[in-house]
Amino acid sequence: MRDTNERMAQLLASSPTIVYCLRVQADAAHATWVSENISRILGYSIAEAMQPGWWLDHLHPQDRERALAGIGSLLRDGHLSHEYRFRRGDGREIWVRDELRRVSEADAPVGDIVGSWTDITANKRAAMVNEARVDVLDRVVQVAPLESILETIALRMQAIEADMRVSIVLLDEAGRLRPEVEEI
């Protein structure tokens, strides 16, 4: 049994997926356990992650309503898979796929939930880049005004990387700033 526990601890410590347990009672959920790799992956200690309200405090504000609405689905259907943005300990924002399953009976007064978080940031960025490429190419094919195309490029790139600010400068044939250019 000790060998099995040690192997499981090693597997969890090296896994790219954070595993956790929740207890739901009277429509309130609180963490009862989280794998140690949370420190390596998200930059938070186990003690921090176990604090009431920790998850909600680090959930991206624009994703809160949708993520919280999923909890009802979890309680009703017994499972939930959803994606949202989450703030790491270093302040960076990542995309997380959160998979949850109820492990207790649906009518139990106390519900036990197991879940896993996987960082899907790279996949989300690739999808957003592809969507931006399609949007820009559609505008080119539709012969949209240049300003509209450039604005789309700037806004899409800024949406992909929140800390990025895009500036596009148009030059004439002599390498001088074109006089009709407005800041996008």
Side-chain angles (χ1 to χ4, degrees):
M1 185 72 132
R2 185 178 309 132
D3 288 344
T4 300
N5 283 342
E6 286 178 21
R7 276 191 222 111
M8 286 302 294
Q10 289 172 342
L11 285 170
L12 285 173
S14 63
S15 173
T17 300
I18 297 167
V19 181
Y20 62 94
C21 296
L22 301 175
R23 175 146 295 154
V24 179
Q25 190 169 13
D27 294 335
H30 65 276
T32 58
W33 180 84
V34 64
S35 57
E36 291 180 20
N37 60 352
I38 193 167
S39 298
R40 177 177 51 82
I41 296 171
L42 291 179
Y44 295 105
S45 70
I46 293 172
E48 288 172 308
M50 299 292 284
Q51 292 297 312
W54 173 82
W55 175 75
L56 192 58
D57 289 344
H58 296 89
L59 187 62
H60 192 283
Q62 293 175 348
D63 296 338
R64 282 186 185 150
E65 186 177 329
R66 184 174 40 83
L68 290 172
I71 303 301
S73 168
L74 169 65
L75 297 174
R76 182 182 63 250
D77 302 334
H79 58 87
L80 173 65
S81 177
H82 58 154
E83 300 172 355
Y84 49 80
R85 292 165 287 181
F86 197 81
R87 189 175 66 250
R88 291 174 31 106
D90 61 9
R92 288 186 303 144
E93 189 178 279
I94 64 169
W95 278 94
V96 172
R97 175 174 295 116
D98 192 357
E99 304 269 348
L100 301 100
R101 294 230 177 264
R102 184 179 57 227
V103 292
S104 58
E105 295 298 321
D107 58 353
V110 175
D112 289 318
I113 311 271
V114 294
S116 65
W117 288 333
T118 306
D119 181 349
I120 59 167
T121 305
N123 293 344
K124 278 293 198 180
R125 281 192 178 138
M128 291 170 76
V129 166
N130 191 50
E131 290 169 8
R133 179 182 301 119
V134 168
D135 190 10
V136 169
L137 288 175
D138 284 349
R139 290 173 189 275
V140 168
V141 169
Q142 295 168 358
V143 193
L146 179 60
E147 293 77 18
S148 171
I149 296 169
L150 297 177
E151 181 177 26
T152 299
I153 292 170
L155 294 176
R156 288 288 195 145
M157 292 300 102
Q158 288 177 176
I160 292 168
E161 186 61 52
D163 295 333
M164 180 188 303
R165 294 297 167 252
V166 176
S167 177
I168 299 173
V169 176
L170 298 178
L171 305 175
D172 64 16
E173 291 79 18
R176 295 181 304 261
L177 186 64
R178 287 182 29 188
E180 73 275 7
V181 174
E182 294 181 27
E183 189 173 317
I184 297 176

